Every structure is written in structure tokens, then in C-alpha cells.
Amino acid sequence: MINELYCSNKHDIQKFDWGEVIWLHEPSNLVTQRLSASLVKFFPGKKQLRHVHFGEEQILYVLQGTGLNVVNGKEEKVSKGMLIHCPPYSEHEVENTGNEDLVFLITYAPSKLVEVHQSLAVSNNKHILDIVDREVLENIQKEISELLKLSVGITDSNNNYVTEPINLHRFCDLCKKMNVCKERQNKYESALKGLDKVFICCNNIIIIIIPILVGEEIIGYVKCGHFLLNKSVDIKRNIENNYKRKIKNIDPLLAAYNEIPIIMKSRFYALEESLSIVSRIISNIIENNLVDRQLKEKNNEILKNAKEKLYLEDALKQANIKLLRSQVSSGFDNHKFKPRNFYSRQNIEYPLEMENKLRDTIKKLDETLCEKIISEKINIYREKEFSIEDVKETFEELAVTLARIIYEETNDDKLFLNIRNKYKEEIKGCNNYSTLQEVFIEFSKENIKILKSILLNGKYDIIQKVNLYIENNFNQDINLSFLADMFFITPNYLSTIFNDKNGMSLKDYINKLRIDNAKKYLIETNMKISDISKMVGYNQLSYFGSIFKKLEGCTPNEYRSKSGNK
């Protein structure tokens, strides 16, 4: 059956270095039909590198072969008969580890996008530059182009560019300069909606054109390209016929053509929807500008003020800008995107999530995880090319906040102020990311060192200290030898006094803490049982189930049902 489906005269086929995709079904209208399906073949020993599923959800069924499937960093060996789910915005990679073709049956569904409503009509057939400042359009164009790794341009209603296209592919730039390539409307029946259009040149290079609407009137277009769904089989002959009179050596053109990204059709549909969101955001900005003009009689410069900048950021969040934070590149697998603020690359939000993670990790006395959290955040700021001065200000604030952990545990004003002021000054003296990373890691280690000292020499007796440590780290791998080393006593003595003080063994005490916390997750969340198991420290679901039933007299599922959380 698989061999019958792999027949070029029956189905549309896309070819890649790692394999090929046979499209069995495609939607004819994304408004009413969102599902598409394909057979995907991975050649033996080949690997489709990591790529982002921007705006599409996938269900994969393994028809043949064996391999390795990775979703958001989680590896899973796959074989015939397995079913796999890839959620929207997930990172995905596949490797064929067997000696035969690895074949998946895959269904795709673009995730539903947030609608940005339009209601205001444009009077007197205004030009787009009469309504929106060119600088704002250029900022939007630059940001979207960098996120998608494609050429983007904005035109007026007559299809004349009001901003110069950027990130134009090298091949298309050469064609444009020689004036030898003309766009023509694509005959391929895609699922694009209404006024959206697809154009394709004589070399199979595709451009998507999305109208910018205010009310029902088109005032401009967002144009995005240039990419391929399939390479032209006669590209060398085509280039020779069209370009040989213009240039003597066509090899650079052929090389440039081979660099043009090829995208899968399912991502082509998601790309169209993401560009529609950009168009609606621009429309929304225009509406807001027109309303402000009518109410406040302001001129064309209104979009330069801070109010409109904040409005755009809010509009982007409401329009699910996460969809745009992906890359469209060759195979969607080689590049990482770098989302940036439209107006200022130095606008850094306070890292509240990082603060919470570091606070918990410092309290758990885990130096290794602290170092990992800090290094990952520094690398993000470095990749975004934020100014070191702006990042230092953020970390100064973070140090002041985290230093309060020591005050909470000691009520020692002097100790708190000393550690806070010491590291504020050291952070100010950093002149690069590497030094800042070293200083902040040292800051976290000093906090941990102080907490350890408090734990060992504080007001609690030895078993209170042990219990306190276990309560903060019950989901970690804790055993008697580890605790004995930490508290400088022998394992046998610790076991004896622990049992006497708590009325149970160390193992039973840890299991009770884990199950008590698991019960909270079962009642208060809809997390999967397998995820809860790992969250509380059990890597094996079956072992978690047996301990839970032993202590509670029922399975985790039964407990959740009895609690009313179904």
C-alpha cells in the first residue's frame, strides 16, 4: 500500500535532502477546512534537523521503520504502530536509525489565530503613508522579516512599494537587477482565503500577498517571499535560456537558487495565517490613528509617541505574536530566531520567572542548577544583543530581590545589606556578559553557602534540619548516605535518630511527602498522571502508582475522580 501511495502521478510530492513528503489531502479553504495530511518518508541514516512547528499541530502515525523522534528536547524511540503528538510551537526533529525507509502518516492542523476586529472605514481613498508613518511600517517590516527569515515588503493599494523589501534572497536580487524574472499568478490551488494571493515566478519561487484592510477597503499589501515548495526540475536549462544573454557565467545563479528555502505545505498555510495577523495589526494601528485624529486632531506624527508604541506591543500580544517567533528556512531546521522589541532592542522586561526559579533553587542548595539558570538567561540576552549596561541594571535589581532570602532566614539586617551592597557594586563593575555571568553565579553560591551554614548551625536540632532539607528537596534523589555526608554524621546514627524522631523510616517519610504533594496536583490541576509522577520525584509511573495505592488505598486516577477533578 505504501508503495502504491508513493506514485508521483497520483499525489503531489515535495522532495528534501532527508526524504520526501507526499500530500494526500490539503484544505481547499482554511476557514472551513483546516486539516491536511501527508505520507512522510525519511531515508535510512538521514535526519530532519530541529525545526519549529509555528502555528501547526501534528499527529504522526508510524507506518514503517524505526527511528528517533524528539519533541521539545524529549527523545523517544519510534517503531511501526506508534502514535505521536506534536503541539503547536513545539521544536521537533526526526532521525531514521534503521536500514529501511522510516514512514509516517501525518495530519496537520493550523492553530486558530486571534482575530483583530476592524470596523472603521477609510474616507477619500487615503494613501497608506497618509495614515501610518513610514518609520513605523519599516520597523514592523524589519521585525517580521528577521523573525521569519524571509523577504518582506509593504505596498500601497496599487501594489507600489512604500517600504523597500528587505532580506531579499540573493537569487531574486540578481534577477531583479537584470530585470529578467516576472511574477505570474500561481495556478496551484491553495487554501488561501478571500483576497489573499500567491504568485510564482518562472523558477517556482513563491510570494504571498496579504491585503491590509480597513473596513472593507484595501489600502495596501504585505508581501512575503521568496521560498519554494519544490525546486524546478529544469532550473539549469531555464536559467540558461533566460539569463545567458545577460551574464557569461550562470554558476553563481545556480548556487544561489539551491540556497532558496524549501518549506512544507502545512507550514505554508500557517505562514499565510501569521502574515494575516501582521496585516490586521497594521490595520488596527491605522484605525487607532484615524480615531485619534478625529478626536484629538493630531497630525501624521502621532504614531511616534510612546502611547502608540505601547499600543502596538499590546496589539502584538493579543494577536498571538508567538506564532511569528519561528523561522522559515531551508527545511525549517537550521536557524534560531531572535525576537526583538519593535522599537527598542534595549527594552528588557524584569525576569520574574528567573527570579522564582533561582529563589527555589537557592533554597534547595543546588549550585549546579543555579549556574544553569543564570547561564541560560545570560545567553538569551547575549543572543538578543542587548546592551550590557541595560542587562546589568536588570541583574542589580535581581540581586537585591534574591538577597532578601538571607534576611528571611536570619533577620540579620547587617548580613543582608552586606551581601546586597557587595554584589551591586561587583555587578556595576562588569564590562561584558562573561564577567557578569561569573559574578552572579558567585552571588548565588554565597547565598547557598550562608543557608547551609544556617541549616547546620541554626536553632534547629539535627533531625529538624534534615526534615527541613527533605521538605525543600523531596523531588530529588535523596538517600541516607547523602544526608549523612551533608550533616556530618554516620548513616547508622542518622537512621536511628530519624526513625525515633519521626516515627517512620527515611524512605517512608520521603514517600509521604511526595504523595501528599501529588494529591495537591491531582486535585488542583489537569496535569497528566505521568507528569505529576516526575514532578514529585518518581521517574517510573508504575512505581508511583504502587506507592500511591499503598498509602491512599486507591490509584491516582481514582483519587482524582473522587475529588471531583475529572
Side-chain angles (χ1 to χ4, degrees):
M1 178 181 176
I2 294 175
N3 291 333
E4 291 177 1
L5 289 170
Y6 274 100
C7 182
S8 60
N9 62 354
K10 291 175 63 178
H11 299 282
D12 190 9
I13 299 179
Q14 286 186 277
K15 296 184 181 295
F16 300 87
D17 292 338
W18 46 263
E20 57 188 33
V21 180
I22 296 179
W23 291 95
L24 307 177
H25 171 74
E26 297 177 65
S28 59
N29 186 322
L30 280 177
V31 176
T32 58
Q33 302 175 20
R34 303 184 65 77
L35 188 70
S36 56
S38 69
L39 282 175
V40 181
K41 177 199 290 186
F42 297 89
F43 300 144
K46 292 293 185 179
K47 183 177 183 179
Q48 183 188 24
L49 298 178
R50 184 171 58 182
H51 53 282
V52 177
H53 290 178
F54 74 97
E56 59 172 314
E57 185 173 17
Q58 294 186 6
I59 300 293
L60 301 82
Y61 181 75
V62 185
L63 292 175
Q64 173 183 298
T66 57
L68 187 67
N69 186 75
V70 185
V71 179
N72 290 332
K74 183 179 179 181
E75 295 186 356
E76 181 180 21
K77 292 182 179 179
V78 297
S79 57
K80 183 178 179 180
M82 290 184 64
L83 196 65
I84 303 160
H85 175 238
C86 290
Y89 321 117
S90 58
E91 291 186 341
H92 186 214
E93 56 185 295
V94 178
E95 181 179 3
N96 185 343
T97 58
N99 297 320
E100 62 176 342
D101 290 337
L102 174 62
V103 183
F104 289 164
L105 173 64
I106 305 182
T107 59
Y108 311 80
S111 58
K112 189 65 178 175
L113 301 175
V114 177
E115 294 291 337
V116 179
H117 298 289
Q118 302 156 333
S119 59
L120 193 67
V122 178
S123 60
N124 301 324
N125 195 26
K126 289 183 179 291
H127 188 280
I128 189 171
L129 286 181
D130 294 332
I131 306 169
V132 186
D133 192 304
R134 184 192 297 271
E135 183 181 353
V136 173
L137 293 176
E138 288 174 346
N139 284 335
I140 294 174
Q141 171 187 279
K142 180 180 178 182
E143 184 70 13
I144 301 308
S145 180
E146 288 180 357
L147 293 174
L148 298 179
K149 305 301 181 188
L150 289 176
S151 170
V152 174
I154 299 174
T155 74
D156 61 18
S157 57
N158 295 319
N159 210 24
N160 298 314
Y161 281 106
V162 297
T163 62
E164 281 298 314
I166 57 176
N167 274 348
L168 189 63
H169 194 275
R170 187 160 62 96
F171 180 87
C172 298
D173 188 40
L174 290 171
C175 295
K176 181 179 178 182
K177 289 177 180 177
M178 292 184 290
N179 195 28
V180 293
C181 184
K182 303 295 183 182
E183 295 174 354
R184 58 179 172 83
Q185 190 159 359
N186 186 19
K187 295 180 180 178
Y188 158 70
E189 293 182 359
S190 71
L192 299 194
K193 307 185 290 292
L195 299 172
D196 299 352
K197 297 177 181 178
V198 176
F199 286 85
I200 184 169
C201 78
C202 53
N203 298 308
N204 282 356
I205 301 172
I206 290 176
I207 298 173
I208 300 178
I209 300 179
I210 310 295
I212 301 170
L213 292 167
V214 176
E216 297 182 354
E217 185 171 351
I218 297 175
I219 62 165
Y221 297 92
V222 178
K223 298 181 69 172
C224 180
H226 300 75
F227 57 87
L228 299 168
L229 293 179
N230 270 314
K231 290 184 179 180
S232 173
V233 293
D234 298 321
I235 183 60
K236 184 174 182 179
R237 184 174 63 184
N238 195 43
I239 288 177
E240 286 175 345
N241 292 339
N242 291 331
Y243 307 100
K244 209 153 190 180
R245 294 180 181 179
K246 301 282 185 178
I247 57 175
K248 293 180 180 180
N249 184 10
I250 65 170
D251 291 340
L253 268 177
L254 282 171
Y257 183 83
N258 288 325
E259 295 171 0
I260 300 174
I262 305 174
I263 74 169
M264 293 179 66
K265 286 186 179 180
S266 60
R267 291 169 190 158
F268 168 68
Y269 303 139
L271 173 62
E272 185 268 344
E273 291 207 348
S274 67
L275 291 170
S276 295
I277 285 293
V278 176
S279 166
R280 295 181 199 129
I281 291 170
I282 295 174
S283 300
N284 222 10
I285 296 169
I286 293 170
E287 280 194 23
N288 189 76
N289 199 2
L290 289 172
V291 169
D292 276 353
R293 282 186 176 191
Q294 293 167 6
L295 298 177
K296 303 174 185 178
E297 297 182 350
K298 288 191 175 182
N299 59 26
N300 292 347
E301 299 300 314
I302 192 168
L303 287 179
K304 288 185 177 179
N305 66 31
K307 174 187 172 183
E308 288 303 311
K309 292 178 182 179
L310 291 173
Y311 172 79
L312 176 58
E313 291 173 3
D314 184 57
L316 288 174
K317 291 176 184 177
Q318 294 176 27
N320 199 359
I321 192 59
K322 187 176 182 181
L323 178 62
L324 301 178
R325 291 182 174 173
S326 56
Q327 76 272 30
V328 181
S329 58
S330 181
F332 283 73
D333 55 10
N334 292 324
H335 303 288
K336 293 182 179 178
F337 59 84
K338 297 181 179 180
R340 298 175 183 169
N341 181 277
F342 275 166
Y343 289 93
S344 172
R345 289 160 56 186
Q346 312 306 325
N347 185 6
I348 305 176
E349 293 185 3
Y350 180 77
L352 183 60
E353 183 179 359
M354 179 189 181
E355 177 199 320
N356 293 333
K357 286 182 179 178
L358 279 177
R359 176 179 288 273
D360 291 340
T361 308
I362 289 171
K363 286 185 175 181
K364 291 178 180 178
L365 313 180
D366 191 338
E367 292 184 0
T368 302
L369 184 54
C370 278
E371 185 171 345
K372 180 182 178 183
I373 293 169
I374 294 165
S375 300
E376 287 177 350
K377 195 65 177 180
I378 288 287
N379 285 336
I380 290 172
Y381 287 146
R382 183 186 284 116
E383 289 175 0
K384 290 182 176 181
E385 300 177 356
F386 284 131
S387 162
I388 185 64
E389 295 301 320
D390 293 310
V391 176
K392 280 162 54 178
E393 289 183 7
T394 301
F395 273 71
E396 282 180 40
E397 185 179 357
L398 191 60
V400 171
T401 304
L402 291 174
R404 296 192 66 83
I405 297 173
I406 302 303
Y407 181 76
E408 292 165 3
E409 295 294 332
T410 65
N411 287 324
D412 188 334
D413 293 347
K414 185 176 180 180
L415 181 60
F416 161 69
L417 292 172
N418 283 344
I419 193 170
R420 185 192 72 170
N421 295 335
K422 172 186 175 182
Y423 283 96
K424 277 188 69 176
E425 291 302 314
E426 288 196 18
I427 290 170
K428 285 180 180 178
C430 296
N431 54 17
N432 56 59
Y433 282 112
S434 297
T435 306
L436 178 61
Q437 180 174 320
E438 291 172 4
V439 167
F440 214 80
I441 289 173
E442 186 60 33
F443 165 78
S444 68
K445 288 181 177 179
E446 184 161 342
N447 276 271
I448 290 172
K449 182 179 178 181
I450 293 171
L451 290 178
K452 281 184 177 180
S453 175
I454 294 169
L455 194 60
L456 290 172
N457 304 307
K459 59 185 178 181
Y460 308 108
D461 65 33
I462 189 67
I463 295 304
Q464 284 180 305
K465 296 170 187 175
V466 171
N467 289 348
L468 182 62
Y469 180 83
I470 295 172
E471 286 170 10
N472 286 327
N473 297 275
F474 67 86
N475 58 348
Q476 305 298 315
D477 186 12
I478 302 174
N479 55 49
L480 193 64
S481 296
F482 173 81
L483 291 173
D485 288 342
M486 172 171 282
F487 292 95
F488 305 106
I489 58 177
T490 65
N492 286 339
Y493 179 60
L494 175 59
S495 177
T496 299
I497 62 175
F498 187 94
N499 291 356
D500 183 59
K501 186 78 172 181
N502 291 316
M504 66 180 73
S505 68
L506 174 66
K507 183 177 180 181
D508 289 343
Y509 187 84
I510 293 173
N511 281 333
K512 184 177 184 305
L513 276 174
R514 289 176 172 177
I515 297 305
D516 285 346
N517 279 272
K519 286 157 60 178
K520 293 179 183 178
Y521 287 124
L522 288 167
I523 294 173
E524 298 172 3
T525 76
N526 292 320
M527 291 173 59
K528 294 180 180 178
I529 304 296
S530 58
D531 291 338
I532 293 175
S533 172
K534 293 176 182 177
M535 186 77 73
V536 298
Y538 296 107
N539 291 324
Q540 294 184 354
L541 181 60
S542 58
Y543 184 60
F544 167 62
S546 65
I547 296 296
F548 193 100
K549 188 168 185 178
K550 178 181 177 182
L551 295 181
E552 299 299 323
C554 61
T555 67
N557 270 322
E558 290 169 346
Y559 184 87
R560 172 173 272 172
S561 297
K562 286 192 296 184
S563 71
N565 185 9
K566 298 180 179 179

